[in-house]
Amino acid sequence: MQNFTTNAINLKSYNLSETDKIVVMYSKEKGIIKGVAKGVKKTTSKLGGRMDMLIANRLLMRQGKNLNTICQAESLNTFKNTRKDMDKLFYSIYCSEIVNCFGVENDPNSEEIYELLYKTLDAISMSKNKTELLMAVIKFQLKITHIAGYSLELESCVCCGGVLDKDNIYFSSKDGGTICKECRKNEFKSVKLHYKIRDFLNTLLQLDFDTKTRYDELATEKICDFCFNLLKQHVEQFAPKKIKSGQILEMTR
Ligand SMILES: [Zn+2]
């Protein structure tokens, strides 16, 4: 049996027996991995709380025939501020569910996705207000769909490829981005998008997660909430599975 080490974030778990759990994680090296956490439900377990949801660990794993076993876990980040705030918790669960949904085993983009989820969970945990929290989630939504190959089109009309007139930009989640006035005639569900919001989203899409922009000062909760909802539809349009926590978020808003 071979051992390997990896950094991974716990996405969810289910019971295997009275004392053991199977933990589904997103790892930096191998994408989605599953591991048996032996004895984790006993109070004396050395893995303890490190196998709870939304914790990033450095793991020592033993490769098994069918299932890997988690031998050791050293926590890298428990995102502790998230654990005492329902809003932060819901949005963190939403992001981790999306990673579980788009992620695959032996993911070639695993490092990029791991870093994105880690930074997002950290930014949510550290956020000082709802606007900061939503900014982190919006960046996550833009980047995860980009990595998964469903990048949002924001520069031209996604239907005809035409140039957009800045006063007549519409957004169609079904088509995956901005559409022009003409194409809008066939898209009843599209919504009008102010060019400044288009520029805001385009800037966040182009730049690295950590890059500060003037929008960090300019963005308001109302604008971020509007963008979050547009991107939520965009994610749902291309997600291979239903995002259940998205519905919970709708109920709690
Ligand atoms: Zn068009």
Side-chain angles (χ1 to χ4, degrees), residues 73-201:
E74 178 197 335
S75 75
L76 299 169
N77 199 333
T78 60
F79 311 105
K80 69 174 170 34
N81 297 334
T82 295
R83 285 164 206 279
K84 15 181 196 187
D85 183 315
M86 283 306 259
D87 236 12
K88 290 182 179 182
L89 192 60
F90 278 135
Y91 284 96
S92 296
I93 291 171
Y94 169 73
C95 294
S96 64
E97 192 186 343
I98 292 174
V99 166
N100 193 25
C101 185
F102 281 101
V104 291
E105 289 177 20
N106 298 313
D107 204 328
N109 299 314
S110 65
E111 191 168 341
E112 215 180 338
I113 294 176
Y114 173 86
E115 294 293 344
L116 175 62
L117 181 61
Y118 186 97
K119 284 178 180 178
T120 305
L121 296 180
D122 196 43
I124 292 174
S125 175
M126 303 302 280
S127 64
K128 290 185 220 63
N129 52 50
K130 188 71 181 273
T131 309
E132 279 187 21
L133 190 168
L134 287 170
M135 280 285 274
V137 182
I138 292 168
K139 287 182 195 174
F140 171 83
Q141 291 168 311
L142 285 165
K143 290 177 193 304
I144 192 76
T145 44
H146 176 76
I147 299 168
Y150 306 108
S151 195
L152 197 63
E153 173 58 51
L154 290 163
E155 282 174 2
S156 48
C157 172
V158 72
C159 292
C160 70
V163 179
L164 297 167
D165 159 22
K166 105 179 181 350
D167 295 317
N168 283 297
I169 303 175
Y170 297 86
F171 181 87
S172 164
S173 57
K174 186 175 145 280
D175 298 301
T178 46
I179 57 172
C180 70
K181 198 177 172 183
E182 270 312 300
C183 295
R184 197 234 164 175
K185 289 174 185 161
N186 310 317
E187 266 329 322
F188 304 110
K189 280 188 170 173
S190 60
V191 291
K192 181 129 197 191
L193 200 63
H194 195 285
Y195 76 93
K196 284 185 178 172
I197 293 189
R198 189 276 307 265
D199 293 350
F200 165 61
L201 290 174

Side-chain angles (χ1 to χ4, degrees), residues 12 19 30 76 132 253:
K12 63 175 188 178
T19 54
K30 294 169 183 273
L76 299 169
E132 279 187 21
R253 288 154 73 80

